[in-house]
Amino acid sequence: MNMVQQFDPAQVDFSQDLGTPGARSDVMVNVFIDGMGVSVPEGTSVMRAAAMVGANIPKLCATDNLEAFGSCRLCLVEIEGRPGTPASCTTPCQEGMSVHTQTARLDKLRKGVMELYISDHPLDCLTCPANGDCELQDMAGAVGLRTVRYGMEGENHLQKGKDESNPYFTFDASKCIVCSRCVRACSEVQGTFALTIAGRGFGSEVSPSEQQPFLESECVSCGACVQACPTATLQEKSVIDLGVPSRKVKTTCAYCGVGCSFVAELRGDEVVRMVPDKQGGANAGHSCVKGRFAWGYAQHQDRVTTPLIRDSIQDEWRAVDWDEAITFAADRLKAIKRTHGVDAIGGITSSRCTNEEVYVVQKMVRAAFGSNNVDTCARVCHSPTGYGLKQTFGTSAGTQDFASVEQADAIMVIGANPTDAHPVFASRMKRRLRAGADLIVVDPRSIDLVRSPHIQAEHYLQLLPGTNVAVLNAISHVVATEGLIDEAFVAERCNKTSFKAWLDFISLPENSPEALAGTTGVEAETLRAAARAYASADNGAIYYGLGVTEHSQGSTMVMAMATGNIGRLGVGVNPLRGQNNVQGSCDMGSFPHEFVGYRHVSDDTVRDQFSSVWGVTLREDPGMRIPNMLDSAVAGEFKGIYIQGEDIAQSDPNTHHVAEALRAMECVIVQDLFLNETSHFAHVFLPGTSFLEKDGTFTNAERRINRVRPVMTSRTGLSEWEATCALSEAMGYPMPYQSAGEIMDEIAQLTPTFAGVSFDLLDKLGSVQWPCNEQAPSGTPIMHKDQFVRGEGQFITTPYVPTDERSTRKFPLLLTTGRILSQYNVGAQTRRTNNVVWHAEDVLDIHEADAEARGVKDGDWIEIASRAGQTRMRARISDDIPAGVVYTTFHHPVSGTNVITTDNSDWATNCPEYKVTAVEIRPSTEQRA
Ligand code: SF4
Ligand code: SF4
Ligand code: SF4
Ligand code: FES
């Protein structure tokens, strides 16, 4: 054996491109690369094994997030005992194999291949935007190419045109080497299948959809192809404009609850591009259009960067320095406290802010304001998740990590639209679906997943809005009455009494699919088939979104999903959280009845612990929720509010009521990036920082705590937590933290599930999923493994109670709402980016039959009226929704969608019933609300 040295696997640099994906095998094989011994999992390519030991083999068509393709023939190697020069990317390692990566023969062959590529490539390296960041250039250097024997006179592709239609990247066909990496990235990683190689041989070319410009094709601008491209063919426009970046900072996307990790690449203080981090725990190197490209709002001219104050909301704003603004705000709040008592003021935390920023706001309310009047914007989205999962399992959070979906055999998606709202997770889920998992979709709208390239839901339950609980009860009825319950699991893990009560309830004939078909609109046989598929799969996993929680029975619905599919890979109950830090804002004690870590304020032991660390006596009675604060304001009792990063005048239901409440207050403090709708009612505006300026942590939907690092200097001079601490001090309660890391240390000190978390640990591990403590020092990807956190799993009977919001003769249609891929919530950020090219206004989707009955044509302006209010927007005829249902988004303030949503809410948590509003539509002659 010719081994000279054994390679230490701990030395592998996984941040570099190892050429092909890693193999999943417990069997190891030993190979020798240029004499260096290395042990790799069976199935590992020769290219990857070589890269692991630092012997980087030249390559063009291979990259380690795509399956090997073997087309460029640059990665040839010699293997002892084998004839020829096989491609190392497609050759798996075998026990005892001895590989040579650098020989005179290989040099010659590789030079020949490169010569052919370069002879059909523009020789404009010095002026090319990718100069210094181009794999073709690197490979020419790596193979030692010095001259090209063939001229450019022959047939070539150098005159091919450039497609600049996409707002964020260009496609310069003259530079394309037809390596197919982009096509494979779009299929394998993103799952959109927007690209193909059209034509044959010399005429082969990359084609978006039917040879359309990128903007008009099926492309969703995720950027995976741009990242995969080894040349400047697919290139970010920002790189073309600003030049190749010179420094990097790792941070986390501030849009949705997937929590993708990014490497921000900069020149000086200017972001050139955001590159998804392939070591990111949540995204493994993938991204969507928002995180990848829509970060320009941070530099938008609308940003307010100095504090503003005014005596009354009729006055003009006055720009002041931080000291004056803080003193003004504190004096007003103290005056209200003196005159109306401590219960007259409170605060709202933001799911867009960091854990540390949220923590200090709830601490200020409890310790400086003197009440528990703190709530969070999660009230209007996932509060039923917190409540429901705590009741059944004992923890207010999802049970799995995202990677778990790769082991699921049946996936049930309820009231969620992952391809639009959680796109990077959707790509992972679609990979599993393409590999054969069954898909069950429960949604009034035929979302993308129901039928998209290479995916079709085996079971689509198109229920009527507001009947989720009835559908889940019917599914459970089938499971219970057809002998599909996992009896052993129930006997071992669950409370027997509650199970017996639940079984008696769910077996009642009134819960059968046949009895409920009229209510739900789902045929009994369709539902029975879906129930059987889910219950009989080895691993059944549920993923759900706001279509579950934003109902009058949101909490009931979450509890109805309790299932024996818990505690291992491939299963679980998984809320797809909306905003980047909605999990974190809930974890951080933002609810009026709970301290950090979901511990009730009335628990003496817990309260004493917080009182002692905070050095102040704390109230044991829960404070007011957002709707209570607003009602109390309208009643003239609640007078002052601190609103951190939330636009309640646009995002909360029944806008008229919210406006009336805000108008009635004496001190409204808004802390945000832009003057939003709520700031029309504010007396103090404290400028917030974008995620590019923040230092702290976000917690994603899988309980993963990710670091957010300051990429650029703060444009406001003070971070949010510093502003909050300054206000608290001016109110008489100093919070003298020196850094965000110090705030996290206090969170860890006071929270058993965070006890092991620190910035140092996060820097070391990259991210960590709570609980992270002595029992789980590296975090907990899968929860409830051996037993439920609450001890025995609790079954809860979930009778279906129809919402009061029903269609009537006056309001015969049911409106449901959602969001789309390119925009984010109220659009404050995405509307200030080029993403508006995909969605410049909210439109109302209406079924053809309903439109025809009302004389409405595609594109017409229509008026939508509910019992809460009315607004106008354009109509779009769509067969994604059934007759009787209409659908819209709420991304643009001008369409005022929440003017028409009602103040109905979940019985347990007051989460608003955004998903069901009875409305009527009529053609409109006017064009705006
Ligand atoms: S566009 Fe880039 S990735 Fe796609 S085939 Fe051409 S060179 Fe390869
Ligand atoms: S940006 Fe994404 S969706 Fe569009 S072509 Fe590239 S990989 Fe496909
Ligand atoms: S999936 Fe979510 S977290 Fe990831 S890049 Fe897109 S918006 Fe950001
Ligand atoms: S990298 Fe192996 S054939 Fe292209």
Side-chain angles (χ1 to χ4, degrees):
M1 202 52 70
N2 56 356
M3 186 183 83
V4 284
Q5 207 181 334
Q6 185 70 26
F7 183 75
D8 173 6
Q11 303 302 315
V12 180
D13 174 7
F14 287 100
S15 67
Q16 64 157 326
D17 185 350
L18 298 173
T20 64
R24 278 196 189 153
S25 174
D26 296 333
V27 181
M28 302 298 280
V29 294
N30 299 297
V31 292
F32 306 95
I33 309 286
D34 298 332
M36 170 81 76
V38 60
S39 187
V40 293
E42 192 174 40
T44 302
S45 71
V46 167
M47 172 177 278
R48 187 176 173 96
M52 284 167 69
V53 304
N56 291 314
I57 300 169
K59 62 182 176 54
L60 278 173
C61 69
T63 185
D64 64 4
N65 66 342
L66 301 175
E67 293 304 322
F69 193 56
S71 71
C72 74
R73 310 302 296 168
L74 195 63
C75 68
L76 310 178
V77 289
E78 290 183 51
I79 300 174
E80 284 181 20
R82 286 203 192 179
T85 51
S88 61
C89 62
T90 49
T91 305
C93 291
Q94 284 177 355
E95 181 62 35
M97 190 182 250
S98 186
V99 179
H100 299 281
T101 69
Q102 304 289 345
T103 66
R105 180 183 176 204
L106 292 173
D107 279 356
K108 189 162 175 233
L109 286 169
R110 288 176 187 156
K111 266 191 196 141
V113 172
M114 275 312 292
E115 226 180 329
L116 287 172
Y117 276 117
I118 297 298
S119 68
D120 191 10
H121 195 82
L123 296 178
D124 60 356
C125 284
L126 286 182
T127 51
C128 176
N131 189 17
D133 184 31
C134 168
E135 289 182 46
L136 189 69
Q137 197 179 44
D138 293 347
M139 290 309 123
V143 304
L145 187 71
R146 297 285 173 266
T147 53
V148 177
R149 284 167 292 165
Y150 320 110
M152 300 278 182
E153 304 81 36
E155 210 182 346
N156 59 45
H157 299 87
L158 302 177
Q159 303 311 318
K160 288 252 172 201
K162 210 169 173 179
D163 174 0
E164 298 185 289
S165 61
N166 186 287
Y168 297 117
F169 59 83
T170 60
F171 174 74
D172 182 351
S174 71
K175 295 185 190 311
C176 181
I177 58 169
V178 202
C179 66
S180 210
R181 272 163 67 161
C182 54
V183 178
R184 289 178 287 138
C186 193
S187 317
E188 290 175 30
V189 179
Q190 165 59 21
T192 293
F193 296 85
L195 301 178
T196 49
I197 299 286
R200 285 167 166 232
F202 183 80
S204 305
E205 59 181 0
V206 173
S207 159
S209 297
E210 307 290 318
Q211 297 201 289
Q212 291 159 300
F214 269 82
L215 190 62
E216 289 164 30
S217 73
E218 288 149 327
C219 165
V220 293
S221 291
C222 70
C225 57
V226 181
Q227 198 172 342
C229 183
T231 66
T233 313
L234 283 159
Q235 183 74 64
E236 296 93 343
K237 286 184 176 172
S238 54
V239 175
I240 297 173
D241 291 345
L242 301 169
V244 174
S246 54
R247 69 183 179 98
K248 300 177 180 185
V249 182
K250 276 197 185 189
T251 191
T252 304
C253 176
Y255 280 116
C256 84
V258 176
C260 296
S261 300
F262 278 87
V263 180
E265 297 191 349
L266 299 103
R267 273 177 89 88
D269 214 16
E270 192 157 26
V271 177
V272 175
R273 67 180 163 196
M274 297 290 284
V275 179
D277 181 5
K278 76 172 186 166
Q279 290 176 298
N283 57 324
H286 192 34
S287 64
C288 81
V289 60
K290 293 190 287 289
R292 180 72 152 91
F293 297 117
W295 35 266
Y297 68 88
Q299 307 285 13
H300 196 276
Q301 59 191 20
D302 289 352
R303 273 276 307 266
V304 178
T305 51
T306 38
L308 307 171
I309 60 172
R310 58 183 172 183
D311 288 323
S312 95
I313 60 171
Q314 280 77 41
D315 295 342
E316 292 296 312
W317 285 111
R318 211 152 45 83
V320 293
D321 64 19
W322 277 103
D323 283 346
E324 190 174 346
I326 295 292
T327 308
F328 181 88
D331 287 349
R332 284 216 162 188
L333 291 174
K334 283 192 282 192
I336 295 171
K337 233 171 127 173
R338 271 196 306 276
T339 317
H340 303 281
V342 290
D343 291 327
I345 56 175
I348 300 177
T349 67
S350 170
S351 297
R352 275 157 44 200
C353 288
T354 63
N355 287 319
E356 295 72 17
E357 288 163 348
V358 167
Y359 177 84
V360 292
V361 169
Q362 61 86 35
K363 180 175 174 180
M364 173 180 72
V365 171
R366 298 183 203 279
F369 289 13
S371 74
N372 287 318
N373 288 340
V374 62
D375 206 356
T376 173
C377 49
R379 171 71 52 213
V380 299
C381 64
H382 266 287
S383 48
T385 289
Y387 179 83
L389 294 182
K390 183 149 192 198
Q391 298 299 309
T392 49
F393 300 154
T395 301
S396 301
T399 62
Q400 310 296 116
D401 60 358
F402 288 144
S404 164
V405 76
E406 287 160 20
Q407 311 291 323
D409 300 305
I411 298 172
M412 191 184 296
V413 178
I414 314 175
N417 184 8
T419 49
D420 280 52
H422 303 88
V424 165
F425 173 68
S427 292
R428 198 174 242 185
M429 182 188 274
K430 289 206 283 189
R431 263 203 302 282
R432 179 63 196 140
L433 292 170
R434 290 197 301 274
D438 272 0
L439 173 64
I440 303 157
V441 174
V442 184
D443 206 298
R445 241 179 106 229
S446 177
I447 55 169
D448 229 28
L449 277 179
V450 172
R451 186 192 288 267
S452 57
H454 303 280
I455 288 174
Q456 172 145 21
E458 280 75 14
H459 308 275
Y460 175 37
L461 278 47
Q462 191 167 33
L463 77 177
L464 289 168
T467 63
N468 283 331
V469 170
V471 165
L472 259 278
N473 280 351
I475 290 176
S476 301
H477 177 91
V478 176
V479 174
T481 56
E482 294 193 7
L484 299 169
I485 288 179
D486 185 344
E487 304 276 359
F489 181 91
V490 172
E492 192 191 334
R493 303 272 304 261
C494 302
N495 179 280
K496 315 278 173 306
T497 316
S498 70
F499 174 66
K500 166 85 178 56
W502 174 81
L503 192 60
D504 290 346
F505 158 77
I506 211 69
S507 306
L508 293 171
E510 68 209 45
N511 285 322
S512 72
E514 289 72 18
L516 287 168
T519 304
T520 62
V522 180
E523 280 181 23
E525 258 327 293
T526 309
L527 192 140
R528 280 191 182 274
R532 287 170 195 143
Y534 174 71
S536 51
D538 287 343
N539 287 334
I542 292 176
Y543 293 87
Y544 72 93
L546 301 180
V548 160
T549 56
E550 287 178 350
H551 286 279
S552 58
Q553 274 202 292
S555 293
T556 313
M557 179 66 186
V558 171
M559 293 186 295
M561 296 190 301
T563 159
N565 273 307
I566 283 290
R568 57 181 197 276
L569 272 171
V571 298
V573 178
N574 304 282
L576 293 172
R577 302 291 194 141
Q579 304 202 66
N580 53 326
N581 199 33
V582 66
Q583 179 70 53
S585 75
C586 298
D587 299 343
M588 289 300 109
S590 292
F591 290 127
H593 64 294
E594 282 170 342
F595 290 121
V596 185
Y598 305 98
R599 285 155 307 150
H600 207 278
V601 291
S602 64
D603 182 323
D604 292 343
T605 316
V606 172
R607 205 175 55 259
D608 285 352
Q609 193 192 0
F610 278 84
S611 287
S612 122
V613 173
W614 291 357
V616 67
T617 305
L618 295 165
R619 294 261 294 262
E620 64 182 292
D621 53 322
M624 283 189 273
R625 298 169 172 177
I626 295 172
N628 308 130
M629 291 190 236
L630 298 178
D631 291 347
S632 174
V634 171
E637 287 159 11
F638 188 79
K639 297 283 182 185
I641 193 162
Y642 180 104
I643 304 172
Q644 176 190 45
E646 193 191 358
D647 192 2
I648 59 170
Q650 192 188 173
S651 64
D652 283 32
N654 197 348
T655 308
H656 291 315
H657 180 66
V658 177
E660 192 186 350
L662 289 168
R663 209 175 282 119
M665 293 190 212
E666 291 170 11
C667 180
V668 174
I669 304 165
V670 168
Q671 187 175 32
D672 217 314
L673 293 177
F674 306 103
L675 282 170
N676 56 21
E677 299 299 301
T678 309
S679 65
H680 296 318
F681 306 95
H683 307 87
V684 181
F685 183 87
L686 302 178
T689 50
S690 73
F691 79 111
L692 295 171
E693 296 143 74
K694 287 185 191 299
D695 190 10
T697 54
F698 292 149
T699 307
N700 78 353
E702 41 162 16
R703 295 169 279 105
R704 186 183 299 281
I705 308 165
N706 275 312
R707 278 285 274 123
V708 189
R709 295 185 178 84
V711 163
M712 55 172 63
T713 324
S714 162
R715 295 189 61 202
T716 68
L718 223 53
S719 62
E720 264 100 326
W721 66 264
E722 288 172 314
T724 307
C725 291
L727 179 61
S728 186
E729 182 165 7
M731 295 282 293
Y733 180 77
M735 296 197 280
Y737 302 108
Q738 298 302 311
S739 68
E742 214 180 280
I743 301 172
M744 178 49 85
D745 292 344
E746 184 175 303
I747 295 165
Q749 181 192 356
L750 284 165
T751 318
T753 47
F754 275 67
V757 181
S758 67
F759 280 17
D760 283 349
L761 183 87
L762 294 170
D763 290 343
K764 192 165 126 218
L765 298 183
S767 63
V768 74
Q769 287 172 267
W770 67 256
C772 170
N773 45 31
E774 220 173 3
Q775 295 76 45
S778 307
T780 312
I782 310 282
M783 293 200 75
H784 316 292
K785 264 192 166 156
D786 300 317
Q787 66 164 29
F788 291 104
V789 169
R790 72 181 302 285
E792 290 180 326
Q794 181 77 6
F795 279 84
I796 294 176
T797 53
T798 52
Y800 168 63
V801 182
T803 167
D804 291 340
E805 186 70 12
R806 301 188 199 174
S807 50
T808 59
R809 270 227 320 247
K810 192 168 175 202
F811 300 115
L813 301 170
L814 290 179
L815 169 75
T816 186
T817 59
R819 65 189 202 206
I820 60 152
L821 173 67
S822 58
Q823 295 290 334
Y824 176 71
N825 282 9
V826 296
Q829 293 134 296
T830 42
R831 280 186 285 108
R832 292 180 171 96
T833 69
N834 285 329
N835 279 25
V836 288
V837 304
W838 290 287
H839 185 83
E841 63 184 59
D842 295 317
V843 295
L844 185 93
D845 283 358
I846 183 168
H847 190 272
E848 197 171 7
D850 292 326
E852 209 176 286
R854 290 163 178 79
V856 171
K857 293 189 295 304
D858 195 60
D860 278 359
W861 283 93
I862 44 126
E863 189 178 292
I864 316 160
S866 74
R867 64 184 169 81
Q870 62 184 52
T871 188
R872 289 184 184 82
M873 59 182 72
R874 255 190 267 258
R876 178 171 59 199
I877 311 292
S878 167
D879 56 9
D880 286 345
I881 36 159
V885 177
V886 288
Y887 166 85
T888 190
T889 48
F890 49 89
H891 301 305
H892 294 269
V894 69
S895 44
T897 305
N898 283 326
V899 171
I900 43 178
T901 51
T902 67
D903 43 18
N904 276 2
S905 64
D906 172 42
W907 62 270
T909 63
N910 281 144
C911 182
E913 192 171 37
Y914 288 121
K915 301 295 182 191
V916 195
T917 308
V919 296
E920 178 54 310
I921 311 294
R922 63 181 73 91
S924 169
T925 43
E926 291 170 54
Q927 301 208 331
R928 272 292 170 218

